[in-house]
Amino acid sequence: MTIEGEKTTTPAGSARRAIVGRLSWGLADQAASSMSNFVVGIYVARSLGVTAFGVFSLAWVTYGVVLNVSRGLATDPLVVRFSGAPDASWRGAVARSSGTALGVGAALGTACLVVGLGLGGSVGPAFACLGVMLPGLLLQDAWRFSFFAAGAGRKAFVNDLVWGVALVPALVVAARVGSVSAFVLAWGASATVAAGYGCLQSDIRPRMTGARGWLREQRDLGYRYLVENVSLSGASQLRAYGLGAIVGVGAVGAVRGAELLLGPFLAVLMGLSLVTVPEAARVLQRAPHRLGTFCLLLGGGQAAGALLWGGALLLMPDRLGELVLGGVWHSAAELVVPVTLGIAGVGLGTGAAAGLRALAAAQRSLRCQLFASACYVSGGLGGAAAAGTVGSAWGVAAATVSGSAVWWLQLRSALREHHQDSIPKVRTPFPK
């Protein structure tokens, strides 16, 4: 397997083309992944209505928490420490990292299954089905990050394409059954097909027996990233549960509907997030003085893109909105402005977050994420208590903008420290 970006003497033009190529595969991959998620969301919203869509959304945010546990322990340390690594080193790390992801899926999937069976009602079966599907979902995600760490974004794209193809017949069957549980199973089963294909693509088998060693070796980063990631997704879950309790489950569906309207832009945002940390790490290795500029262009571009997309949504006629979301459209349309501002704040902050990850400044990034998560929960639930669903959306928008400011302050401090630490290593008397 050829690892892109191993040579440090690549001419500037070739290096820029390589970066653009890897970013392009990141966008293409996330387009395929987000399209699958978008189709599932639209299918559920149109087929089952706003209340059932709220139940599906609760299962979705729960999956997000588990996914971030897996990424914090397994794939985030892999991306930071093995991006552009020699092939033998990468393969050994991927076997243990993917085994860790599979182990997390099995353990937390069992817990989710037990909780779902105990809950009953309309929510319990959906959670039980999610628990069964978690190992395959997490392994598929682990392959994506493994391929991007190696600079092989094309393989990640093909893997997500396989997921999308497998999803089509699964959705047809789920639509005939007509329940939230059936859609959860369809979504997870198709991801499991892609996870199996990832083993063939990489010619690597996940080593669950290597999970303990992986966690021990990466504990300085892994556990901090675990807390950081879980605080992010946990805040989203707490906000969803709290919003459902304060306003009603339909409010959760309305928020998710507004997020679906921003789906194409979110695909860009998430696609870039797959490659921004590896690229920031490469910039740090080759031209550390350019890391701040790289992060600023990244974050500013994402924020501008979110605002442009949100502005386009404001011009969408009701007839087209109803065609996309059905009965969810009218409640979701009221949230477009605050949700857009919130996502713009997130996009701006991710530029700084990529820089902190590349610098391995886990303690700083953890502080930022804990602050941002606390603001997210307090803003989302405080706004819900004060002004219902719309108030919750505006509270979240204010929280994400505040959190973004903290990310950038911490990155500035981390860059200053890195520069000071590197001064004694400079051999040339000429300033750069």
Side-chain angles (χ1 to χ4, degrees):
M1 178 179 178
T2 302
I3 307 298
E4 296 180 19
E6 283 186 322
K7 296 181 179 181
T8 58
T9 57
T10 305
S14 299
R16 283 194 294 269
R17 285 193 295 272
I19 291 175
V20 171
R22 289 189 292 266
L23 289 175
S24 298
W25 280 119
L27 292 174
D29 169 72
Q30 190 57 47
S33 176
S34 293
M35 182 57 66
S36 299
N37 297 335
F38 181 76
V39 168
V40 172
I42 293 299
Y43 227 79
V44 176
R46 289 184 57 83
S47 301
L48 303 181
V50 67
T51 301
F53 189 52
V55 173
F56 181 83
S57 299
L58 291 177
W60 185 279
V61 296
T62 303
Y63 157 72
V65 174
V66 178
L67 180 65
N68 278 297
V69 171
S70 176
R71 288 179 176 177
L73 294 176
T75 53
D76 283 347
L78 176 78
V79 169
V80 170
R81 288 188 165 145
F82 293 91
S83 290
D87 185 63
S89 176
W90 175 84
R91 293 180 66 84
V94 168
R96 290 174 293 152
S97 173
S98 59
T100 302
L102 192 59
V104 170
L108 295 185
T110 300
C112 194
L113 174 63
V114 172
V115 170
L117 293 175
L119 281 176
S122 60
V123 176
F127 274 70
C129 292
L130 175 65
V132 174
M133 294 292 103
L134 277 176
L137 284 163
L138 298 190
L139 181 58
Q140 193 275 337
D141 186 74
W143 290 130
R144 297 173 68 208
F145 279 80
S146 299
F147 292 141
F148 277 110
R154 180 181 58 84
K155 290 188 175 183
F157 170 74
V158 172
N159 191 274
D160 270 320
L161 200 61
V162 169
W163 183 3
V165 171
L167 184 62
V168 174
L171 283 180
V172 172
V173 174
R176 291 181 178 178
V177 175
S179 69
V180 176
S181 299
F183 281 104
V184 173
L185 288 174
W187 168 53
S190 54
T192 302
V193 171
Y197 182 65
C199 296
L200 298 177
Q201 286 180 290
S202 62
D203 195 25
I204 297 173
R205 301 298 175 266
R207 285 176 47 203
M208 291 182 64
T209 55
R212 180 176 298 180
W214 176 262
L215 294 175
R216 183 174 59 253
E217 294 168 10
Q218 309 301 329
R219 62 181 179 273
D220 59 326
L221 294 182
Y223 293 115
R224 283 193 173 98
Y225 289 158
L226 169 65
V227 176
E228 181 180 332
N229 290 356
V230 170
S231 69
L232 170 64
S233 55
S236 178
Q237 189 174 29
L238 287 174
R239 187 255 183 135
Y241 289 164
L243 183 60
I246 295 171
V247 184
V249 176
V252 182
V255 171
R256 177 62 184 155
E259 292 172 348
L260 280 175
L261 292 173
L262 283 131
F265 174 76
L266 287 174
V268 174
L269 181 64
M270 296 175 68
L272 288 174
S273 70
L274 289 170
V275 292
T276 50
V277 176
E279 291 306 323
R282 291 183 175 96
V283 171
L284 181 64
Q285 292 169 6
R286 298 169 179 170
H289 60 285
R290 295 180 180 172
L291 180 60
T293 302
F294 173 82
C295 294
L296 182 60
L297 291 173
L298 177 66
Q302 291 177 127
L307 294 175
L308 289 173
W309 186 264
L313 287 177
L314 293 176
L315 303 176
M316 179 183 291
D318 289 340
R319 185 168 51 188
L320 180 58
E322 291 172 355
L323 179 64
V324 175
L325 290 179
V328 180
W329 160 251
H330 293 288
S331 55
E334 299 177 350
L335 309 179
V336 168
V337 173
V339 169
T340 297
L341 293 176
I343 292 176
V346 171
L348 184 61
T350 55
L356 288 175
R357 286 286 176 97
L359 291 165
Q363 189 172 359
R364 288 187 178 276
S365 62
L366 175 59
R367 287 199 297 263
C368 291
Q369 192 55 67
L370 290 176
F371 174 81
S373 297
C375 289
Y376 185 94
V377 173
S378 58
L381 297 186
T389 310
V390 176
S392 178
W394 278 108
V396 166
T400 55
V401 172
S402 300
S404 177
V406 173
W407 279 105
W408 280 100
L409 290 173
Q410 289 294 322
L411 177 61
R412 186 178 65 175
S413 299
L415 287 171
R416 187 183 301 116
E417 289 178 359
H418 180 77
H419 176 68
Q420 292 172 349
D421 291 341
S422 64
I423 287 177
K425 302 177 183 178
V426 178
R427 298 179 182 273
T428 175
F430 299 103
K432 293 185 178 180

